[in-house]
C-alpha cells in the first residue's frame, strides 16, 4: 500500500510540474511572444533579414510602404517618401524609430491568439498626414531642422519631419551621410531651447512671485550680476511681464530666475514634462536636462533657456499643448487605434494667462499679418549653441487644436527663420492652402 501511495504521489507531482511548466511557457509567450514571432530568423515574415509582410498608410489612407518578398516598397512619389522617411524608416533600418522597426509586431499583425497568421489585413494606420509632411519638408528646404505638429485634444501627431533626410529606398553609404540624417529629431533630438524656455520661467513667476502683476523691469540692454553681464540684443526699456515675454528680455528673465531661485525652477521644470521621456506608442522619446547652478549668472542664463539647458522637441510640443488646453494636453500618439490619454502639466489659471501672453507676443511683436487667419499664440527662441555657429531659431505655439514646434538649426532669429516655416505648414493644415 505504501508503495502505491508513493507512486501516486510521484505521479501527481509530475502532473503538477507539467502544469506549472505549461503555465510558465504560456506566460512567457504572452509577454515575449511578439519578440519571438518578430525575430529575424522567422522565415515566415522575413526574407534575407527583410520584413516581407505588412503595409503602412497615413491618416488619409495614403500608402507609405509595403513589405514583400522583393523587399520594402515605398511610395512611387520620391518627394513624399523623402519627406516621410523618418516616419516609415529606411530600407536598411537605420532609423530606429521608423515604423517598420518600432512597430514591427503591429505591422506584421502579431496577435497572441493567432500569432503571425493574422486573419486581419496587415495594414497599420498612422495619425500622420503625409502630405502635410511634404509641405513641412518643402518649407524647411535645404536647411537642417524639424517641424512637429500634434492635436493637443486627441494626441494625434500629424507632422514630424526632420532634415537632413534621405530617400528611404536608396542604397546609401552611411559614412557619407550628414550627421543627424537618421534621427527623428522631434522624438530623439536634444537641443538648447533658448528663449522658448522663458515660458516655464514665466509660469513659475506667475505662481511664485506675489507682486508679479505690478512688477516692472527696466532694460538698459545690459543686466549686471555681481560684476558679470547678461545682455539683450537691444534696449527694451520698461516692461511688465507681458512686455518682458513679448520682447524676450534676457535681463528681465535673469532677474526673475535669480529671485525665484534654483529650487523653484527645478520644481517647475519637473512639472512641465520637459525632463520626462514620453512613450509614443512604445517609442521612448529623449529626455531633457537642466542644471540650475548656485552661481547667479549661470542661474540667470538657465532661466533664459541657455547655460546647460537641453530639451526634447516633443516634450516642448506637449507643454505647449497643455497651455492651449488650460493645463491639460492629450498624450501624444502616432498609431490611429492607440488609446487616448491625458496629462495635466499646468495650473489652469496659469495656463490661461500664459496663452494670453503668447497671443500678445504675436499681436505686439511677431505680427498677425505674418500669420493670417490663424489666431496664433507663439513664442520664438534664438538659442546660442557652439561658438562660431549661428544660433538655432525656434518658433513654438498653437492655433486651434494644434500645437507645434519648429526649429531651424544654425540659422538666426527664431521668429524670422522658423516663423515663416510654421506659417506655411499651419496655413495648409488650418486654412487648406
Ligand atoms: Zn532686455
Amino acid at each position: 500500500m505504501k508503495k502505491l501511495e508513493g507512486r501516486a504521489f510521484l505521479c501527481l507531482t509530475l502532473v503538477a510540474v507539467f502544469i506549472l511548466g505549461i503555465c510558465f511557457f504560456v506566460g512567457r509567450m504572452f509577454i515575449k511572444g511578439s519578440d519571438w514571432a518578430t525575430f529575424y530568423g522567422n522565415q515566415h515574415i522575413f526574407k534575407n533579414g527583410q520584413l516581407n509582410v505588412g503595409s503602412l498608410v497615413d491618416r488619409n489612407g495614403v500608402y507609405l510602404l509595403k513589405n514583400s518578398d522583393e523587399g520594402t516598397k515605398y511610395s512611387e512619389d520620391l518627394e513624399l517618401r523623402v519627406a516621410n522617411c523618418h516616419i516609415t524608416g529606411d530600407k536598411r533600418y537605420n532609423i530606429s524609430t521608423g515604423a517598420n522597426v518600432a512597430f514591427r509586431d503591429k505591422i506584421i499583425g502579431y496577435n497572441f491568439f493567432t500569432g503571425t497568421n493574422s486573419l486581419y489585413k496587415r495594414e497599420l494606420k498612422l495619425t500622420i498626414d503625409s502630405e502635410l509632411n511634404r509641405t513641412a519638408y518643402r518649407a524647411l528646404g535645404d536647411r537642417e531642422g524639424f517641424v512637429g505638429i500634434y492635436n493637443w485634444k486627441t494626441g494625434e501627431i500629424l507632422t514630424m519631419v526632420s532634415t537632413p533626410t534621405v530617400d528611404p529606398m536608396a542604397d546609401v553609404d552611411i559614412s557619407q551621410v550628414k550627421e543627424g540624417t537618421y534621427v527623428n529629431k522631434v522624438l530623439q533630438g536634444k537641443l538648447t531651447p533658448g528663449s522658448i524656455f522663458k515660458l516655464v520661467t514665466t509660469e513659475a513667476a506667475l505662481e511664485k512671485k506675489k507682486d508679479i502683476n505690478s512688477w516692472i523691469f527696466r532694460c538698459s540692454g545690459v543686466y549686471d550680476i555681481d560684476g558679470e553681464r547678461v545682455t539683450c540684443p537691444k534696449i527694451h526699456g520698461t516692461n511688465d511681464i507681458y512686455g518682458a515675454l513679448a520682447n524676450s528680455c534676457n535681463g528681465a528673465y535673469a532677474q526673475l530666475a535669480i529671485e525665484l531661485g534654483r529650487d523653484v525652477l527645478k520644481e517647475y521644470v519637473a512639472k512641465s514634462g520637459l525632463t520626462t521621456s514620453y512613450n509614443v506608442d512604445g517609442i521612448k522619446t529623449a529626455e531633457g536636462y537642466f542644471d540650475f547652478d548656485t552661481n547667479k549668472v549661470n542661474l540667470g542664463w538657465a532661466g533664459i533657456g541657455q547655460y546647460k539647458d537641453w530639451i526634447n522637441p516633443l516634450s516642448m510640443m506637449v507643454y505647449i499643448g497643455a497651455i492651449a488646453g488650460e493645463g491639460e494636453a492629450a498624450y501624444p500618439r502616432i498609431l490611429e487605434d492607440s488609446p487616448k490619454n491625458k496629462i495635466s502639466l499646468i495650473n489652469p489659471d496659469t495656463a490661461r494667462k500664459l496663452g494670453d501672453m503668447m497671443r500678445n507676443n504675436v499681436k505686439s511683436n511677431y505680427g498677425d499679418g505674418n500669420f493670417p487667419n490663424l489666431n496664433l499664440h507663439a513664442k520664438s527662441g534664438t538659442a546660442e549653441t557652439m561658438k562660431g555657429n549661428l544660433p538655432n531659431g525656434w518658433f513654438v505655439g498653437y492655433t486651434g487644436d494644434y500645437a507645434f514646434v519648429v526649429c531651424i538649426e544654425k540659422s538666426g532669429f527664431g521668429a524670422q527663420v522658423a516663423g515663416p516655416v510654421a506659417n506655411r505648414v499651419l496655413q495648409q493644415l488650418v486654412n487648406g492652402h
Side-chain angles (χ1 to χ4, degrees), residues 143-144 390-394 407-414 417-418:
R143 298 170 295 180
E144 290 181 23
L390 284 167
N392 289 344
W394 286 90
C407 181
I408 316 286
E409 295 162 70
K410 292 168 263 177
S411 62
F413 285 105
V417 294

Side-chain angles (χ1 to χ4, degrees), residues 219 232 234 236 249-250:
C219 171
C232 284
K234 65 177 192 181
H236 293 120
C249 178
N250 288 340

Side-chain angles (χ1 to χ4, degrees), residues 4 7 9 80-81 123 154 196 290 427 430:
L4 210 61
R7 277 187 187 164
F9 181 72
L80 193 82
R81 65 177 191 257
E123 183 184 273
T154 63
I196 58 171
F290 289 80
Q427 289 300 339
V430 178

Side-chain angles (χ1 to χ4, degrees), residues 33-35 37-38 42 44-46 51-56 67 99-125 335 337:
S34 132
D35 289 350
T38 59
N42 187 345
H44 191 55
I45 50 168
F46 283 101
L51 209 55
N52 66 3
V53 293
S55 61
L56 195 68
N67 297 310
N100 228 2
V101 177
F103 305 129
R104 175 166 293 159
D105 57 342
K106 295 185 179 76
I107 221 166
I108 63 176
Y110 175 79
N111 174 299
F112 177 69
F113 298 104
T114 57
T116 56
N117 292 312
S118 178
L119 298 171
Y120 306 104
K121 198 175 162 199
R122 293 168 177 181
E123 183 184 273
L124 191 64
K125 195 167 190 175
L335 297 177
D337 60 359

